[in-house]
Amino acid sequence: MVHPEVKNWIKYANFEEKHGYIALGRKVFERAVEFFGEDHISESLYVAFARFEEKQKEFERVRVIYKYALDRIPKQQAQELFKNYTVFEKRFGDRRGIEDVIVSKRRFQYEEEVKASPHNYDAWFDYLRLVESDADADTVREVYERAIANIPPIQEKRHWRRYIYLWINYALYEELEVKDPERTRQVYQACLEVIPHKKFTFAKIWLLYGQFEIRQKNLQNARRGLGTAIGKCPKNKLFKGYIELELQLREFDRCRKLYEKYLEFSPENCTTWIKFAELETILGDTERARAIFELAIGQPRLDMPEVLWKSYIDFEIEQEEYENTRGLYKRLLQRTQHVKVWISYAQFEMSIDSDDRIQRCRQIYEEANKSMHGCEEKEERLMLLESWRDFEEEFGSFANKDRVRKLLPEKVKKRRKITAEDGSDAGWEEYYDYIFPEDAANQPNLKLLAMAKMWKKQQQQEEDEEEQEEEEEEEQQVPQGKEAQESSEPEEQEPAAHREQTENDYDDRDDDDESSSSSSSSDSESDGDHKDDKDKTEQTKADEEKQ
């Protein structure tokens, strides 16, 4: 009573246990728990109490002590308690007991997280998954109510995206797990009241609510809810979902009204026009479908006009109204001169089974080539000519093929300066340009290009000839060098009598050419002159061969 510390209570209880007074030891622990109460609760006291009961084989008592302590001691102060409880369950408990320990520990962790940051919706999701897998329905509802009470403080949609899934999961839990449709309806309605629809909305919630009412066979509530959604906050997703629902119910008159409201809300949406016309086509009202397409192409602003025109053309082709299709192509070409429109027009004429289809197709290519004569997009013009060439290759005569081939452009590599964003010079880049023969301004360029090609070809021929002559010269010089070496070696070994005989031969040749009478002194001079002439002759031949 003088020193009421925990360690002294534990020493007192251990003293009683050591001497065999188990009941007195238990009574000491119980008095300690009462003495400290919940305000000054101590982890070490409960650990010692649980170990005392564990020695007495009172496992249920141990489990109660641990759970009682874990429910009252804060998580950060109960690490040793969790550790001992886990070890106890592993030794003496079953699998369920071990899982309970782990779940309890994780619940404490999640509780601390959501207390520290109540708008951390990911922590709430983890906490809810844990309690859904282990706790009863009332506990799960309590956690859901605590989670959805944390409304985002800022009315911006990006801050609400995670929060709205708490409501969705809550409604699905009530419908699928608890199977309480009335409470599910209340969850959806409460959610729709919380969302600030004037600033933003979530089409997902409206559609899920409508689908839930359909599952409950309450069609009136579903239509009322979706109608309210369209009236309060019309969105593309809401219109699409509502129309799809009525289509499944085969309420085509309601679908028509919804499409009309949808197009009043978003007249530039080409997909809606196309779907509306497709609905009328399926229902067999082609005139109504054609009128819808006419209204659509007459809109001043469209998000995908090319898709809309293609759908209208495909519709007329499907109805085999070829004159209407030609009229559509002509009207479209008045708005745009895109190369794909011309090619599609030509392919359409070829697809019709008629006698003059080839002539019609060729005429369209002619008109397209004339209209794109001054087109700045040279790649599109090249695409048209290539398509025309493929057509003539399959169906045209030789003259037509040759004519189209002459219209194809020359591909030229050019260079141009690159300027950086700050205006400084960033160097040069190479690009390919096309020069069309039909363009009068490109005629000088074509002539210059042809002359450049001829000059390059001539230079290449001259280089080939020079290389051939050098190879021949090398082949001739190698044998001559060998003969000269062979002839020099025997001359050194020739006897004097033989050299005299050779000199006499040279002398006789000189006498025949110049005069028959010569002195011995003049003979020696003529021999020297003859050798010089011979050297000059060989040098001249070598120079001629090099030239």
Side-chain angles (χ1 to χ4, degrees):
M1 299 303 293
V2 177
H3 301 283
E5 299 176 3
V6 173
K7 62 180 181 180
N8 294 332
W9 286 98
I10 295 174
K11 284 182 181 179
Y12 185 13
N14 290 338
F15 166 79
E16 297 289 359
E17 180 188 4
K18 183 177 180 181
H19 293 87
Y21 296 98
I22 305 301
L24 292 176
R26 183 179 291 117
K27 191 172 182 181
V28 170
F29 275 117
E30 291 174 352
R31 284 174 58 197
V33 170
E34 291 177 1
F35 177 81
F36 287 103
E38 295 186 3
D39 296 334
H40 304 281
I41 194 166
S42 173
E43 179 187 24
S44 57
L45 176 63
Y46 284 95
V47 171
F49 193 4
R51 287 178 178 174
F52 169 80
E53 296 292 355
E54 185 177 337
K55 289 177 184 177
Q56 312 310 318
K57 308 295 182 182
E58 295 286 346
F59 299 133
E60 289 301 324
R61 283 177 174 268
V62 175
R63 193 170 284 112
V64 170
I65 292 169
Y66 276 126
K67 289 183 178 181
Y68 178 85
L70 288 172
D71 289 339
R72 287 161 177 78
I73 299 177
K75 165 186 168 290
Q76 60 270 16
Q77 300 176 11
Q79 297 296 326
E80 192 67 23
L81 196 65
F82 269 120
K83 182 179 177 181
N84 284 276
Y85 187 20
T86 306
V87 171
F88 165 75
E89 289 291 353
K90 287 182 179 178
R91 290 177 62 190
F92 303 107
D94 54 2
R95 181 176 178 181
R96 179 66 182 173
I98 298 171
E99 290 178 354
D100 288 343
V101 176
I102 297 172
V103 168
S104 299
K105 185 175 181 180
R106 288 175 62 190
R107 284 190 67 178
F108 273 107
Q109 293 175 353
Y110 289 135
E111 282 288 348
E112 294 297 323
E113 282 188 42
V114 297
K115 285 179 182 177
S117 178
H119 292 95
N120 183 5
Y121 300 118
D122 291 326
W124 282 111
F125 285 128
D126 295 337
Y127 191 9
L128 287 164
R129 275 195 293 269
L130 175 66
V131 296
E132 281 182 15
S133 62
D134 187 68
D136 55 355
D138 293 334
T139 306
V140 176
R141 282 173 181 157
E142 180 188 355
V143 178
Y144 267 119
E145 293 293 338
R146 288 170 55 198
I148 62 178
N150 299 294
I151 301 174
I154 303 174
Q155 290 189 355
E156 293 183 10
K157 192 169 183 178
R158 59 191 181 92
H159 295 290
W160 286 63
R161 292 187 187 278
R162 296 294 293 163
Y163 170 72
I164 209 68
Y165 276 97
L166 288 172
W167 287 96
I168 294 174
N169 289 349
Y170 190 9
L172 293 176
Y173 174 78
E174 292 289 353
E175 182 184 1
L176 302 177
E177 300 295 333
V178 185
K179 301 186 185 304
D180 190 344
E182 188 57 37
R183 194 174 182 86
T184 306
R185 186 177 291 108
Q186 293 175 5
V187 170
Y188 277 121
Q189 291 173 354
C191 176
L192 292 172
E193 290 176 2
V194 169
I195 300 172
H197 299 292
K198 291 183 179 180
K199 292 189 175 181
F200 59 86
T201 190
F202 290 92
K204 183 184 290 291
I205 287 288
W206 290 105
L207 293 174
L208 286 173
Y209 178 42
Q211 292 165 4
F212 160 75
E213 294 291 359
I214 293 293
R215 286 194 293 272
Q216 302 304 316
K217 299 180 181 180
N218 196 338
L219 183 58
Q220 193 66 29
N221 281 355
R223 284 175 174 160
R224 186 184 297 114
L226 292 173
T228 304
I230 291 174
K232 279 187 175 181
C233 43
K235 287 184 67 176
N236 290 332
K237 193 172 181 181
L238 276 173
F239 277 110
K240 289 178 182 177
Y242 197 0
I243 290 170
E244 184 178 355
L245 173 65
E246 296 294 353
L247 280 175
Q248 293 174 355
L249 297 173
R250 297 296 185 267
E251 294 286 346
F252 300 117
D253 289 334
R254 289 182 176 272
C255 290
R256 287 191 177 103
K257 292 179 181 178
L258 287 172
Y259 270 122
E260 290 171 3
K261 290 185 177 294
Y262 192 0
L263 292 172
E264 288 176 7
F265 164 70
S266 176
E268 72 279 357
N269 193 335
C270 291
T271 306
T272 309
W273 288 104
I274 293 169
K275 293 290 185 184
F276 192 8
E278 286 179 356
L279 172 65
E280 298 296 348
T281 306
I282 293 171
L283 297 176
D285 196 344
T286 57
E287 290 300 326
R288 192 180 179 93
R290 188 176 288 112
I292 291 169
F293 274 122
E294 287 292 336
L295 284 173
I297 62 176
Q299 296 299 315
R301 188 171 56 125
L302 294 168
D303 54 358
M304 293 185 297
E306 65 280 358
V307 178
L308 178 63
W309 280 92
K310 185 179 183 303
S311 299
Y312 193 5
I313 289 170
D314 292 342
F315 165 76
E316 294 292 359
I317 293 173
E318 186 180 351
Q319 302 300 322
E320 297 183 358
E321 296 288 346
Y322 300 129
E323 288 300 326
N324 291 345
T325 308
R326 290 189 184 98
L328 282 176
Y329 271 116
K330 291 176 182 177
R331 289 164 61 187
L332 180 58
L333 289 170
Q334 290 175 0
R335 300 191 178 195
T336 177
Q337 291 289 320
H338 199 279
V339 63
K340 290 186 177 180
V341 178
W342 286 107
I343 294 174
S344 175
Y345 190 10
Q347 291 174 351
F348 158 71
E349 292 292 353
M350 280 302 300
S351 64
I352 299 174
D353 189 10
S354 61
D355 297 335
D356 58 344
R357 59 175 187 162
I358 295 175
Q359 186 62 31
R360 282 179 176 272
C361 184
R362 186 177 290 115
Q363 184 178 357
I364 291 169
Y365 277 119
E366 293 276 2
E367 293 177 5
N369 188 39
K370 289 179 183 178
S371 66
M372 299 184 70
H373 189 72
C375 181
E376 295 181 358
E377 297 294 334
K378 295 185 177 181
E379 288 80 4
E380 293 186 2
R381 192 173 172 188
L382 176 62
M383 189 189 302
L384 175 71
L385 291 173
E386 288 177 347
S387 177
W388 192 3
R389 179 194 61 192
D390 296 339
F391 162 73
E392 295 293 356
E393 289 290 338
E394 186 175 358
F395 300 103
S397 61
F398 178 78
N400 291 328
K401 295 176 186 177
D402 186 61
R403 178 169 173 272
V404 176
R405 201 176 295 115
K406 288 179 180 179
L407 295 175
L408 291 173
E410 290 284 345
K411 190 176 182 181
V412 184
K413 184 186 288 186
K414 292 184 179 181
R415 297 177 66 201
R416 60 188 170 196
K417 277 188 177 182
I418 305 175
T419 305
E421 294 181 358
D422 57 356
S424 60
D425 189 6
W428 294 78
E429 70 171 354
E430 292 185 348
Y431 71 99
Y432 287 100
D433 193 13
Y434 297 98
I435 299 176
F436 290 86
E438 286 185 320
D439 296 345
N442 291 330
Q443 291 299 330
N445 295 335
L446 287 175
K447 290 181 181 179
L448 180 62
L449 185 63
M451 291 173 66
K453 285 186 177 180
M454 290 178 62
W455 177 81
K456 188 175 181 180
K457 186 176 181 182
Q458 187 177 359
Q459 289 291 110
Q460 188 67 30
Q461 290 178 355
E462 290 177 359
E463 289 177 3
D464 294 341
E465 290 177 0
E466 288 179 2
E467 290 178 0
Q468 187 175 2
E469 289 177 359
E470 289 176 1
E471 291 176 359
E472 292 178 355
E473 181 181 348
E474 290 176 0
E475 291 177 358
Q476 291 178 1
Q477 285 179 354
V478 172
Q480 286 178 1
K482 290 182 180 180
E483 290 175 0
Q485 187 178 0
E486 291 174 357
S487 62
S488 63
E489 292 176 356
E491 283 178 358
E492 293 176 358
Q493 298 176 2
E494 281 181 352
H498 184 67
R499 287 200 298 272
E500 290 176 359
Q501 181 65 32
T502 307
E503 289 174 358
N504 291 334
D505 294 339
Y506 282 116
D507 290 340
D508 291 341
R509 190 178 298 112
D510 292 336
D511 291 341
D512 293 337
D513 296 334
E514 296 177 0
S515 63
S516 58
S517 59
S518 303
S519 62
S520 59
S521 61
S522 63
D523 291 337
S524 62
E525 292 175 0
S526 63
D527 292 337
D529 295 335
H530 184 69
K531 289 178 180 179
D532 293 335
D533 294 336
K534 186 176 181 182
D535 293 336
K536 291 178 179 179
T537 306
E538 292 176 354
Q539 185 65 31
T540 304
K541 289 182 179 179
D543 292 339
E544 290 176 356
E545 289 176 355
K546 288 181 180 179
Q547 291 176 358

